[in-house]
Amino acid sequence: MNPAELRAVCDSLNDERGTGGQSKLARLLDWHHSTVWRKLNGLSPITQSDELAIRQAVVSLPPEV
């Protein structure tokens, strides 16, 4: 996963105002919001275990109505 793919994941978690995806992902993963920010900006690597955790967190979300 690269930062652009992570950005797409965060964008998919945005609310109706188009905000909050990065924070929502951080809460789902029990990460600090700055960890997600660093990975989005290429300052921290996105490891394979990070990618697996991100994908699992997104898949486990209940479907929206």
Side-chain angles (χ1 to χ4, degrees), residues 43-58:
L43 300 174
S44 292
I46 302 169
T47 64
Q48 187 174 9
S49 62
D50 292 340
E51 181 176 355
L52 292 171
I54 291 164
R55 292 188 189 283
Q56 182 60 41
V58 172

Side-chain angles (χ1 to χ4, degrees), residues 5-64:
E5 292 169 324
L6 181 57
R7 170 62 58 201
V9 170
C10 289
D11 289 347
S12 74
L13 297 173
N14 282 340
D15 61 14
E16 63 277 354
R17 294 181 306 267
T19 60
Q22 183 177 335
S23 298
K24 186 171 185 176
L25 181 61
R27 284 191 303 274
L28 287 170
L29 296 169
D30 198 28
W31 289 355
H32 193 271
H33 62 87
S34 65
T35 301
V36 177
W37 183 89
R38 286 192 308 272
K39 291 180 184 298
L40 281 169
N41 289 287
L43 300 174
S44 292
I46 302 169
T47 64
Q48 187 174 9
S49 62
D50 292 340
E51 181 176 355
L52 292 171
I54 291 164
R55 292 188 189 283
Q56 182 60 41
V58 172
V59 168
S60 68
L61 287 172
E64 293 191 21

